[in-house]
Amino acid sequence: MNPSEIESIQNSQYKRLNIDRIEYGTAGFRARSEVLEHVFYRMGLLAVLRSKLKNANIGLMITASHNPESDNGIKLVDPHGEMLEISWEGIATDLANINDEGLISLLWQIINDNGIEMSMPVTIIIGRDTRKSSPLLLNAAISGIKALSGNVKDFGIITTPQLHYLVATTNTNADKSFSSLESYYKKLGNGFKRIRGETQYSNKYKANLYVDAANGVGANALKDIQKYIDSVLTINVFNDGNGELNYNCGADFVKTRSKLPLNSSNKPYVRLASIDGDADRLVYFYVDDQNKFHLMDGDRIATLAAVYLKELLEESNLSLKLGIVQTAYANGASTNYILNVLKIPVACVPTGVKHLHAKATEYDIGIYFEANGHGTVLFKDTAIKLIQESLTNTQLSTSEKTAISKIMDLVDMINQTVGDAISDILLVETILRTKDWSIVEWEQSYTDLPNKLLKVNVKDRNVVTVTDANRRCVTPKGLQEKINETIARYEKGRAFVRSSGTEDVIRVYVECESPSDVDKFALEVANLVYNFANGIGPRPESL
Ligand code: 16G
Ligand code: ZN
C-alpha cells in the first residue's frame, strides 16, 4: 500500500460500528442493513487484495437472498465464478471485525502472508439485488475498492447467478473485455430454442408457466429472457416487484411453509414456480382438485435432470460418467430413486453451495441440487471437448448425433458457475416438453417421505458440532446417541441436527414412513437438542 492509500483508509468515513462479531457465513455476510457499511467498505478493500493475488477480476455481490428486505449482505466471487475459497472466509471475518486502529496492520498482514503484488491494476465486478439499502452500501464497497486504487465495473441490479457468470466469462475472454448481460441471455436462450428441435408435444405439456419472482431482481431477468426465447415458452411473472421483497412469497417461503405464495393462482394442476430474492433458487408446485399443495423441490429438479441426461448419454453412446450430489436434507425417497431406479451414483456433502459444487466437479457430468432449490449441472472441460469432437464424427448414427447435439445445447443453456433459477427453469421446461409431461407425471416418479424441519433457539449455537456431511453430531456429548435411540423407534426414520450458517438457531430435520408420526418425531429430536444444548425461549412443545 502506498502512503496515499494508507491515508485514504485511515481517513475513511466508514468507521467500525460497535456491533457483535459478524461472520462470513455459508454465503457471505448477512445482517440488518444499517450495521453493514463498514463491512462493505472492508470487503471492497479485500476484493482488491484478492484480485491482485489472483491476477483476475473478482466479483462482489450485494444481496441477502431470501432474507427480509431489511437485511442485506455481501459475498466475494472468485475468478471462475465460484464462491470465495474457504481459506479466505476467515480472513474476511477477521477484516470485518478488526477495530479501526488495527485495520492497516491487518491489511499488511494479509498482503505479506499471501505475497500479494500491490502494483498490479485490478477491476472488481459488482452486482446488487433490488434492496433499498443497496445503493448506500454499494458506495461503501466502491469507496473501499478505490481506497486501494482498484477499478470498478458496476453491472447495477442483476441476479446473483448473472454476477457469477459475468465474473467467470470476463476472466476467460481472450481480450479481457467485459462480458455483457446480452451474451448471457443469448447463450441460455439460444440453447433453449435449439434443443427444442422438431419435438412435438401435444397433450400434457403446456408451454405456459407462472413464476413468483419474490418481488426481487429475478422479475427483470425473467422478463428479459422472454425476449430471447420467443414464444417457445410464455413466462407469466407475478410478485414482480410491486409488493415487499420475499414477504410471503419466493422459493424459500414456498419450500419451508409448503404453501402457495401471495397472489398465486390456485387453479388445479396449473404449473407454477417460485424463485428467491436474488434468483438462485427455484421450486415448482401446483394444487390438485382437492386444493392440496404439491411441491417439486430441488431433489425433484435433480432427478428430472438425471433422467434426461441418462437417456441422452445412452442414446449418444458417449462414455461419460454421470453423478449426483445432494445434502442430508435431500428426501430419502429421492436418494433411493436415484440409486435403485436410475442407478446413478450419489454423493452427500455438507450444506452450502460451495460443498456441492466442489464435489460435482469430480464427475464428467455432475448434477447438484439442495432440496431448497439451489443447483445446477456441471460439465467437465474434458467432457465438453469429447462432446464437441463427437459432433464432427462422421461415423455416428443420426440418433447418436441428435443426442450429442442436444447435450451440447444443454451445455449452453445451463449456467455452470452456480445454481441459476432462470437457467434451471429452461432446463426443467425443456425436459417436461420433451417428455410431454405435465407436472403431475413429473411428480409420479417417486413419493416423498413425510418430513419436518424445525428450529431450536439455544444460548450458543456453536455448541452443536457435526461431522459426516452434517449427518452426525459430535458435540454436545451424548446427543447423537439419544437421537439414534429416537430414530430407531420410527419406520424409515432419519434425523439430523446442525447449527444454521445463516441464522442464530439449531436446525432439526426428520423424516419417516408414517405421516402421522412425523410431528411427534420432530418434537422429540428438537427437545433433545433443547436439553443438551442449553435451549432458550419456549421449549419446542408444539409445532
Ligand atoms: C445459504 C447457502 C445455501 C444453504 C443455506 C443454508 C449459498 C449460496 N447459499 O443460503 O446453499 O442451503 O445457506 O442455510 O451457499 P442454513 O445454514 O441457515 O440452514
Ligand atoms: Zn438466493
Side-chain angles (χ1 to χ4, degrees):
M1 292 181 287
N2 64 38
S4 77
E5 289 169 346
I6 294 174
E7 198 189 324
S8 155
I9 295 169
Q10 279 167 340
N11 295 335
S12 143
Q13 66 181 96
Y14 298 107
K15 300 294 178 216
R16 180 178 180 278
L17 296 181
N18 193 14
I19 55 168
D20 287 347
R21 189 174 165 81
I22 180 165
E23 302 244 350
Y24 195 96
T26 321
F29 293 103
R30 258 183 226 178
R32 286 179 297 115
S33 60
E34 63 270 21
V35 303
L36 283 171
E37 267 186 294
H38 70 281
V39 176
F40 275 58
Y41 175 76
R42 290 165 179 208
M43 287 309 104
L45 299 172
L46 190 67
V48 172
L49 296 187
R50 181 116 187 115
S51 194
K52 288 179 191 281
L53 175 69
K54 292 285 165 186
N55 188 14
N57 302 314
I58 290 286
L60 274 183
M61 184 68 202
I62 300 175
T63 179
S65 184
H66 56 275
N67 285 35
E69 160 78 45
S70 52
D71 284 358
N72 214 323
I74 189 164
K75 59 183 161 192
L76 274 76
V77 173
D78 263 354
H80 300 293
E82 70 278 42
M83 310 286 258
L84 175 67
E85 185 183 309
I86 294 179
S87 64
W88 269 57
E89 291 180 2
I91 297 176
T93 299
D94 290 345
L95 194 66
N97 289 288
I98 189 92
N99 55 31
D100 293 321
E101 297 69 47
L103 182 56
I104 294 290
S105 64
L106 181 56
L107 288 169
W108 275 127
Q109 193 186 322
I110 299 169
I111 293 165
N112 295 332
D113 287 355
N114 292 279
I116 296 172
E117 171 52 67
M118 289 302 286
S119 59
M120 188 181 302
V122 295
T123 301
I124 307 304
I125 299 178
I126 312 187
R128 63 178 198 273
D129 72 18
T130 53
R131 286 180 160 75
K132 291 180 199 74
S133 57
S134 292
L136 202 72
L137 291 166
L138 169 70
N139 285 342
I142 291 178
S143 193
I145 295 166
K146 298 227 159 121
L148 280 179
S149 316
N151 303 308
V152 172
K153 173 73 184 167
D154 178 13
F155 277 95
I157 297 177
I158 55 174
T159 71
T160 295
Q162 286 174 339
L163 188 270
H164 283 258
Y165 172 90
L166 291 166
V167 171
T169 51
T170 293
N171 279 321
T172 46
N173 285 345
D175 59 356
K176 293 271 171 219
S177 64
F178 288 106
S179 300
S180 65
L181 269 186
E182 198 188 358
S183 72
Y184 163 90
Y185 287 119
K186 273 195 176 148
K187 182 170 177 300
L188 267 56
N190 289 344
F192 181 66
K193 283 188 293 191
R194 268 198 315 269
I195 202 169
R196 175 177 187 248
E198 295 308 309
T199 311
Q200 293 300 322
Y201 58 89
S202 50
N203 290 317
K204 300 192 173 129
Y205 178 77
K206 302 275 177 284
N208 209 357
L209 176 69
Y210 295 83
V211 186
D212 151 32
N215 288 315
V217 54
N220 306 346
L222 286 165
K223 288 174 187 168
D224 285 342
I225 191 73
Q226 182 71 68
K227 297 176 207 149
Y228 293 82
I229 59 173
D230 308 331
S231 55
V232 174
L233 169 71
T234 304
I235 305 177
N236 308 279
V237 187
F238 65 103
N239 295 329
D240 65 350
N242 289 323
E244 187 178 333
L245 178 69
N246 296 325
Y247 178 70
N248 286 346
C249 62
D252 193 65
F253 172 85
V254 171
K255 165 76 182 158
T256 52
R257 307 279 187 89
S258 262
K259 62 180 189 189
L260 293 176
L262 275 183
N263 305 316
S264 174
S265 151
N266 61 355
K267 268 209 202 128
Y269 304 110
V270 166
R271 195 169 73 257
L272 295 139
S274 273
I275 64 177
D276 73 337
D278 63 337
D280 62 356
R281 289 190 191 182
L282 170 70
V283 295
Y284 273 71
F285 50 93
Y286 73 95
V287 289
D288 63 22
D289 47 15
Q290 307 298 310
N291 210 20
K292 183 170 178 267
F293 177 84
H294 297 248
L295 178 72
M296 314 294 283
D297 62 6
D299 303 342
R300 298 276 182 182
I301 301 175
T303 49
L304 185 71
V307 167
Y308 188 52
L309 274 158
K310 188 180 170 188
E311 281 171 12
L312 287 179
L313 285 177
E314 279 166 6
E315 284 165 25
S316 67
N317 283 317
L318 286 179
S319 124
L320 291 173
K321 194 163 169 275
L322 185 61
I324 300 188
V325 187
Q326 300 186 311
T327 70
Y329 288 108
N331 195 282
S334 73
T335 315
N336 189 38
Y337 173 74
I338 297 164
L339 284 173
N340 300 320
V341 179
L342 300 180
K343 306 212 182 295
I344 298 172
V346 186
C348 181
V349 298
T351 287
V353 170
K354 58 196 165 211
H355 302 296
L356 290 111
H357 193 97
K359 186 70 193 175
T361 61
E362 293 177 14
Y363 301 101
D364 293 329
I365 303 180
I367 302 172
Y368 75 80
F369 268 89
E370 291 191 302
N372 62 28
H374 187 121
T376 187
V377 182
L378 304 184
F379 298 82
K380 257 198 185 142
D381 285 347
T382 48
I384 295 179
K385 200 157 165 260
L386 176 72
I387 299 163
Q388 280 166 338
E389 282 167 4
S390 308
L391 277 175
T392 57
N393 181 347
T394 49
Q395 313 284 308
L396 297 181
S397 69
T398 315
S399 67
E400 283 172 330
K401 274 213 157 152
T402 309
I404 294 168
S405 64
K406 285 190 175 177
I407 299 175
M408 202 55 225
D409 292 336
L410 288 181
V411 172
D412 269 344
M413 207 169 77
I414 293 171
N415 182 350
Q416 293 189 54
T417 58
V418 80
D420 181 335
I422 308 299
S423 154
D424 290 342
I425 284 177
L426 301 185
L427 176 65
V428 169
E429 295 297 316
T430 295
I431 305 172
L432 294 181
R433 190 186 57 224
T434 304
K435 296 196 151 302
D436 194 13
W437 275 359
S438 74
I439 194 163
V440 179
E441 275 84 32
W442 176 13
E443 190 184 26
Q444 277 162 358
S445 29
Y446 63 85
T447 308
D448 272 326
L449 287 168
N451 59 88
K452 199 104 238 166
L453 193 59
L454 289 185
K455 297 178 194 182
V456 181
N457 291 304
V458 296
K459 269 197 205 118
D460 174 10
R461 73 181 143 132
N462 297 318
V463 299
V464 173
T465 58
V466 293
T467 181
D468 187 21
N470 299 156
R471 288 173 295 189
R472 208 149 45 79
C473 204
V474 180
T475 61
K477 285 248 161 328
L479 174 56
Q480 186 62 50
E481 286 70 22
K482 288 285 176 199
I483 293 176
N484 292 347
E485 287 170 18
T486 313
I487 292 173
R489 292 201 301 276
Y490 292 91
E491 184 99 5
K492 292 201 184 156
R494 197 164 69 83
F496 66 93
V497 304
R498 55 178 273 280
S499 60
S500 157
T502 63
E503 277 181 79
D504 197 9
V505 295
I506 305 294
R507 295 206 195 282
V508 172
Y509 176 87
V510 307
E511 69 181 33
C512 63
E513 172 95 325
S514 155
S516 55
D517 278 352
V518 72
D519 285 358
K520 184 164 163 278
F521 185 15
L523 279 180
E524 281 177 23
V525 178
N527 268 292
L528 288 173
V529 173
Y530 190 90
N531 292 341
F532 273 80
N534 300 320
I536 51 170
R539 181 173 273 284
E541 275 159 356
S542 61
L543 293 169

